[in-house]
Amino acid sequence: MAYAIKTATRIQAWELGAGSNMEEEMLRRKKIIKHPDGTFELFSLEAAEGKGQIAKAGDFFKVDNRGFPCPNERAFFLQNHQHLEDDWYLQAAHPLKIWRLGDPECEEIHFLQDNGFLQICPENPQRCFSAFLWGTTETAPAEAIIIFYDVVQNPEGIITSVDFNFVDSSYFNTHYQVLPS
């Protein structure tokens, strides 16, 4: 299995519900919708079937290179980003397992598929990957990369949960470095 590390990157991010100019712009453009229960629906590139990713006030969001908002759960964001100034952060670089279509299957992919968390359909290259993430079904094309953020195993070494997401290949190629095997 391959590993990659995100290059030391200064990024902009905003806290949902804090009323930043970026949040207001995304609300105006309907790329973020605030629901009466206080949750937010973010329409990322991977959101499918007209439904956005669900996040809550206090979570953070970034805007990708195509102008789509991407949510980050608050605890994860604060653990992996150092605040620099204003809405600028330095993203921590940790080696992460990755998987691409065509790589040998790994136990994480088997776990996700066997438990219905991930569907892989190579016959449909534009929607090859499908998963229920952030409260909605997301899809990604065959060239997307699956990044494993956390893999939990029980004392016997059996996987009990996998935190993962799809990453657009053009974003991956400019922001990540594949580590030598």
Side-chain angles (χ1 to χ4, degrees):
M1 169 165 286
Y3 285 82
I5 193 163
K6 192 159 192 180
T7 53
T9 306
R10 272 178 51 106
I11 56 108
Q12 282 186 286
W14 301 268
E15 184 177 341
L16 282 167
S20 68
N21 289 339
M22 181 57 76
E23 180 181 328
E24 294 301 320
E25 178 184 334
M26 292 284 134
L27 287 165
R28 275 192 308 279
R29 294 173 53 201
K30 305 236 184 287
K31 290 193 176 201
I32 296 178
I33 295 174
K34 184 175 182 181
H35 293 288
D37 67 359
T39 61
F40 293 83
E41 191 170 0
L42 289 78
F43 293 88
S44 69
L45 179 64
E46 296 84 10
E49 301 172 10
K51 296 179 182 173
Q53 298 170 304
I54 304 299
K56 59 186 183 272
D59 287 343
F60 286 81
F61 73 96
K62 304 171 191 175
V63 176
D64 70 16
N65 56 352
R66 295 184 187 174
F68 291 94
C70 303
N72 275 221
E73 190 259 344
R74 182 178 186 78
F76 176 85
F77 183 86
L78 293 174
Q79 180 181 352
N80 291 286
H81 296 82
Q82 175 188 352
H83 184 249
L84 298 174
E85 62 183 336
D86 301 320
D87 53 7
W88 287 97
Y89 295 83
L90 183 63
Q91 192 161 11
H94 304 291
L96 300 169
K97 288 184 179 181
I98 63 168
W99 187 83
R100 296 170 277 213
L101 189 64
D103 286 352
E105 288 200 8
C106 58
E107 61 182 320
E108 292 84 357
I109 291 294
H110 284 293
F111 171 83
L112 292 171
Q113 289 186 293
D114 292 348
N115 291 283
F117 299 123
L118 173 68
Q119 292 76 46
I120 301 175
C121 182
E123 305 81 39
N124 186 351
Q126 292 307 310
R127 296 174 65 128
C128 179
F129 300 113
S130 177
F132 191 77
L133 299 165
W134 288 93
T136 190
T137 300
E138 295 186 22
T139 63
E143 62 270 4
I145 291 83
I146 296 177
I147 294 185
F148 302 104
Y149 296 110
D150 191 29
V151 177
V152 178
Q153 297 177 323
N154 68 16
E156 292 79 36
I158 297 169
I159 294 176
T160 59
S161 74
V162 176
D163 183 18
F164 72 103
N165 207 347
F166 308 131
V167 175
D168 177 75
S169 61
S170 63
Y171 182 87
F172 181 87
N173 292 336
T174 58
H175 290 88
Y176 285 84
Q177 176 184 358
V178 176
L179 299 174
S181 302

